[in-house]
Amino acid sequence: MTFTSVFRSLALLGLLCAGASLAAGEPAQRPRVGLVLGGGGARGAAHVGVLETLEKLHVPVDCVAGTSMGALAAGAFAAGRSPTEMREELAKADWNDMFQDNPSYSEINYRNKAISKRFMPGSETGVGSDGVAYRGGVVAGQKIKLFFNRLVNADLGERDIESLALPLSIVATDIGTGERVVYRDGSLTMAMRASMSVPGLLAPVNYRERKLVDGGLVDNLPISEVRERCLADVVIAVNVGSPLMKAEEVGSLFTVSAQMINILTEQNVNRSLALLQPNDIYIKPDLEGITAGDFQKSSETADRGRAAAEAVSARLQALAVSAEEYEAWAKRIAYVRPSPPPVDAVVIDRLKTVNPVAVERHLRVKPGDPIDDARVNQDMLRIYGDGWYESVDYSLINVRDRNILHVTPIEKSWGSDYLRFGVNLQTNFKQDSAYTLRAAYDKTWLNSLGGELLVVGEIGRTNQIGIDLYQPLDARQRYFMEGSLSYGQETIGFYEDDHKLADFEQTKGIASLGAGANVGQLGQVHAGWRQRWLEYDLTTGIPSFIFPERFEERSTGGYLALDFDQMDRLYFPTSGWSARFGYFNSPADDYSKLTAELRGAYALDDYVLNASFSYQGSLQGTLPIYDAGTLGGFHNLGGFAPNQLVGDDIRYFGLRAEKIIGRLPLGLRGDMRAGLALETAKVGRPYTETHRTGWLNSATLYLGGETPLGPVYLGYGQSDAGVSSVYLFIGTP
């Protein structure tokens, strides 16, 4: 038999077998399906609804690719999260909080709190021999990365893309070269975080010697990737991108930036759509009215995605398999979460300047303890809250049957010396208007214990310069010494019977030296010695017996201060409490001064209740005029002008009810509130407004909110004494 005869016989046998199979009704081989999930910010929640429909119809996929928010959905799906679990996680996530990197204000150490009160949030600028350097985005993405860890079950050990049962590709952009970067291996959470780094909002991610940003800039709908990755016969492409705004809608810097990104995205999406073939399935959910920032609408957005997928269910059904086959496929890609293993050792990586003990002080997990992701995440945020890091992350690695918790704090590339800025504008639209511009040079980690030098200058109503040296005495920074010098001038007004009598130029020098203890994250106890030199010179008005044309004062004594602050936010708290106590004793001047303040905040839905009490008085002698207590101004008996009431033995009670009426865009701190303040106070021994006795009452209506400049208030205060004031306040106190 010749070769040709053998070949013909085999071919005939093959045809007969194929015919027999078809005659027996055996199914043809299932086409390979590639799933593409595009970027679109919060609109990406629609992907969850599409995945729910695929699950309902029993449509398996052979590979998945995602960009930006699509990378989040694709990563979670490939990591074994079911669509139901993804919907639940997105619904309960607090995205407004997630775009605030720092932990709750109550979790920040006292030193960082003190600096935060004086300077604009986000004003920090690095300075060094190479000039100035800036952070890469409004949001560093600290909480976002920790959320990703939990979402893809990387909290019990890093998930590598190549180890996933479902082939996954994640697209990012190299901001240095403009190249499209596709990750098919490596850290799943790092790739997800890189793909979501919207320029300007989220800081770029340094990964594998590349600086990476949002993949939507180059490939927002990576259709070509699934063709290549799993040789997909059919592509299911889900486009959730934001449409271009109309010309009349583009006016602000924010909208111009957003439109530029949308233009780049739209152009590359159109190129990707041109690659679709007749048998591919294109899904574009109706997301009218849902913006890229509407994360709180995740359930509604998911529902719209499900509706869009159901609209093409007939075509999707052609890709379906039997219930048994789908169950086997789903079981293959599912992730079975193991019990949290015990930690055998803790290792801190990559520190150059910061003492590792400063990191260790925040870690509560000990060898032998099972890992608790919620507790570890809180520890990571406390470490980040020290203010020295770009990011803080962790991973659990098994080495020779030992579970090693690796903590990775990445020190700021623009540190450790900084410039900080603050601005303050306040007016009552009468004769009391003032502005102050503030700048500081902050040099951290002078030594291995974390010494810090802060030099501050101010111009405006207050012109002054100050130097503060803070030196911890142990590596855990429990104990410290602090010395400060300041010299400056300020205009001080004095009132009588609702009329300003005079303005004085106060020249003041202060020197202090003390020591104290940091009480965990609770606060600080501080004691020491203080020397003050004061001179007053009349600038406008008429001198009096109490306020002569020129006078000088000196005071020397010891002080004790306790400052505990457990408010959840600095300026507009929704929960927590604070307590402050101060005592100064000047034997040479035969007086002592006691100050005390208690505050509390409680929220119910969109309503916040704040209560406060304060006392200013003397336990020995009488407070001198230069150290007397004051009342008047916003949130300090609002019907009166700032510092209008001066005296000894001042008692104050305040109650504020606020309604949250709006929130600033993601990444820009805080919310906007409408409020009513009811206040009452009594001056036991007044130096001004002496004709008023008993309790003085005031009510203030106001609007306020936290902005990148600091808090902003506009309010109207009316007292029962017949005086009123309108207030505008912008900036840091």
Side-chain angles (χ1 to χ4, degrees), residues 337-672:
R337 184 177 175 87
S339 299
V343 175
D344 295 303
V346 178
V347 176
I348 298 172
D349 294 336
R350 301 186 186 180
L351 287 173
K352 298 177 181 178
T353 302
V354 178
N355 191 325
V357 179
V359 176
E360 292 173 2
R361 62 180 175 163
H362 296 296
L363 297 175
R364 290 170 292 178
V365 62
K366 305 298 180 186
D369 293 344
I371 191 165
D372 182 333
D373 67 307
R375 196 177 191 192
V376 173
N377 280 352
Q378 187 181 36
D379 293 347
M380 297 301 106
L381 289 176
R382 285 181 172 181
I383 296 169
Y384 183 85
D386 283 338
W388 304 315
Y389 315 102
E390 289 188 34
S391 65
V392 183
D393 204 355
Y394 73 95
S395 60
L396 190 65
I397 302 174
N398 187 274
V399 181
R400 299 175 183 176
D401 295 327
R402 298 180 77 240
N403 297 308
I404 312 297
L405 180 65
H406 276 257
V407 179
T408 310
I410 306 298
E411 294 167 271
K412 290 178 177 176
S413 58
W414 60 92
S416 58
D417 298 352
Y418 310 100
L419 297 177
R420 306 184 188 275
F421 304 94
V423 60
N424 174 284
L425 171 65
Q426 51 185 315
T427 180
N428 61 0
F429 299 96
K430 297 178 181 177
Q431 49 192 335
D432 293 292
S433 299
Y435 77 91
T436 300
L437 301 178
R438 184 179 300 123
Y441 170 68
D442 186 6
K443 186 174 182 60
T444 65
W445 287 97
L446 295 170
N447 47 55
S448 62
L449 297 181
E452 182 177 6
L453 175 67
L454 186 67
V455 182
V456 183
E458 296 183 2
I459 59 172
R461 181 170 183 172
T462 301
N463 298 298
Q464 87 172 9
I465 187 170
I467 300 175
D468 180 88
L469 179 61
Y470 177 81
Q471 179 57 63
L473 301 178
D474 63 312
R476 298 180 67 87
Q477 300 190 355
R478 292 167 294 188
Y479 308 103
F480 65 91
M481 292 187 66
E482 186 172 10
S484 64
L485 292 170
S486 66
Y487 178 84
Q489 295 177 327
E490 181 180 5
T491 300
I492 305 292
F494 290 103
Y495 290 78
E496 184 69 40
D497 300 334
D498 301 326
H499 301 288
K500 181 181 282 190
L501 293 179
D503 280 322
F504 285 82
E505 183 178 79
Q506 179 196 71
T507 302
K508 179 169 59 178
I510 302 176
S512 67
L513 181 65
N518 292 305
V519 188
Q521 309 302 112
L522 187 63
Q524 187 182 90
V525 180
H526 195 188
W529 166 90
R530 180 183 298 127
Q531 172 78 51
R532 288 183 293 187
W533 303 265
L534 300 106
E535 294 182 357
Y536 292 85
D537 291 285
L538 181 69
T539 56
T540 60
I542 303 173
S544 65
F545 174 75
I546 300 178
F547 310 114
E549 185 173 355
R550 189 176 192 278
F551 60 100
E552 299 179 3
E553 299 289 348
R554 301 286 189 274
S555 77
T556 303
Y559 68 87
L560 172 66
L562 286 77
D563 195 343
F564 298 156
D565 194 342
Q566 290 297 287
M567 291 292 189
D568 65 334
R569 290 163 60 180
L570 172 56
Y571 297 117
F572 287 87
T574 58
S575 64
W577 61 273
S578 68
R580 294 181 174 87
F581 170 87
Y583 179 74
F584 176 78
N585 183 57
S586 178
D589 300 299
D590 194 31
Y591 85 96
S592 62
K593 182 177 182 179
L594 174 67
T595 59
E597 181 185 37
L598 296 173
R599 295 171 58 218
Y602 177 79
L604 183 63
D605 296 325
D606 286 337
Y607 294 89
V608 182
L609 187 66
N610 289 269
S612 59
F613 161 78
S614 66
Y615 174 80
Q616 305 172 75
S618 57
L619 300 180
Q620 172 188 340
T622 303
L623 295 181
I625 186 67
Y626 59 84
D627 206 13
T630 61
L631 286 171
F634 196 65
H635 287 173
N636 193 34
L637 210 63
F640 294 87
N643 302 322
Q644 180 176 336
L645 287 83
V646 181
D648 193 0
D649 195 44
I650 294 178
R651 305 172 191 185
Y652 167 90
F653 297 90
L655 187 66
R656 304 199 313 270
E658 299 174 338
K659 171 72 166 64
I660 299 175
I661 58 175
R663 299 187 184 276
L664 295 177
L666 292 176
L668 300 180
R669 295 166 169 81
D671 48 44
M672 307 302 293

Side-chain angles (χ1 to χ4, degrees), residues 33-37 50 54 59-61 226 234-238 276 280-283 316 319:
V33 178
L35 179 63
V36 180
L37 304 180
V50 173
L54 295 180
V59 177
V61 300
V226 295
V234 179
V235 173
I236 303 173
V238 188
L276 290 175
D280 295 330
I281 301 173
Y282 178 56
I283 301 174
L316 292 173
L319 304 173

Side-chain angles (χ1 to χ4, degrees), residues 53-272:
T53 302
L54 295 180
E55 181 181 62
K56 177 183 176 182
L57 297 176
H58 295 163
V59 177
V61 300
D62 296 277
C63 63
V64 59
T67 299
S68 195
M69 192 67 176
L72 180 148
F77 186 59
R81 284 284 196 175
S82 71
T84 300
E85 291 174 327
M86 293 166 63
R87 179 185 279 264
E88 292 173 352
E89 289 292 334
L90 290 179
K92 69 183 184 181
D94 186 348
W95 288 90
N96 285 299
D97 177 70
M98 208 177 302
F99 278 81
Q100 307 293 325
D101 292 307
N102 280 321
S104 168
Y105 186 70
S106 63
E107 299 289 326
I108 297 175
N109 69 73
Y110 182 86
R111 180 68 180 177
N112 210 351
K113 287 177 181 176
I115 292 176
S116 299
K117 292 175 182 178
R118 303 183 67 186
F119 303 100
M120 292 185 297
S123 70
E124 179 185 278
T125 302
V127 59
S129 58
D130 297 329
V132 298
Y134 307 93
R135 61 173 65 197
V138 176
V139 181
Q142 174 64 32
K143 291 182 180 177
I144 293 174
K145 179 59 167 65
L146 294 177
F147 171 70
F148 288 174
N149 289 351
R150 187 173 68 253
L151 182 66
V152 303
N153 291 300
D155 54 294
L156 299 182
E158 182 62 80
R159 306 290 304 279
D160 293 322
I161 296 174
E162 66 270 24
S163 69
L164 304 177
L166 182 62
L168 169 68
S169 301
I170 289 177
V171 179
T173 303
D174 187 320
I175 193 63
T177 65
E179 292 179 298
R180 172 179 177 266
V181 181
V182 180
Y183 286 102
R184 297 180 176 182
D185 60 7
S187 169
L188 171 59
T189 55
M190 289 294 288
M192 292 166 61
R193 170 65 182 84
S195 186
M196 287 189 64
S197 298
V198 180
L201 175 60
L202 283 166
V205 172
N206 293 304
Y207 183 53
R208 291 184 172 179
E209 299 183 353
R210 289 179 179 268
K211 182 171 285 189
L212 303 167
V213 297
D214 196 332
L217 298 178
V218 291
D219 194 358
N220 202 49
L221 197 64
I223 292 172
S224 63
E225 174 59 22
V226 295
R227 294 248 194 245
E228 183 181 343
R229 184 70 195 273
C230 62
L231 302 177
D233 300 306
V234 179
V235 173
I236 303 173
V238 188
N239 182 12
V240 296
S242 300
L244 296 178
M245 291 177 283
K246 298 178 181 177
E248 58 270 20
E249 297 175 330
V250 181
S252 67
L253 178 62
F254 179 79
T255 55
V256 170
S257 299
Q259 185 79 332
M260 290 172 61
I261 294 175
N262 288 344
I263 290 173
L264 291 173
T265 301
E266 190 77 6
Q267 290 175 344
N268 70 65
V269 166
N270 289 334
R271 290 194 295 269
S272 293

Side-chain angles (χ1 to χ4, degrees), residues 5-26:
S5 301
V6 172
F7 180 80
R8 289 175 177 173
S9 299
L10 292 174
L12 179 61
L13 180 62
L15 290 171
L16 291 172
C17 291
S21 296
L22 291 172
E26 292 184 11

Side-chain angles (χ1 to χ4, degrees), residues 30 58 60-61 165 321-334:
R30 182 181 68 84
H58 295 163
V61 300
V321 297
S322 67
E324 293 77 13
E325 289 176 295
Y326 186 83
E327 183 179 354
W329 174 87
K331 186 176 181 180
R332 180 172 62 84
I333 71 167

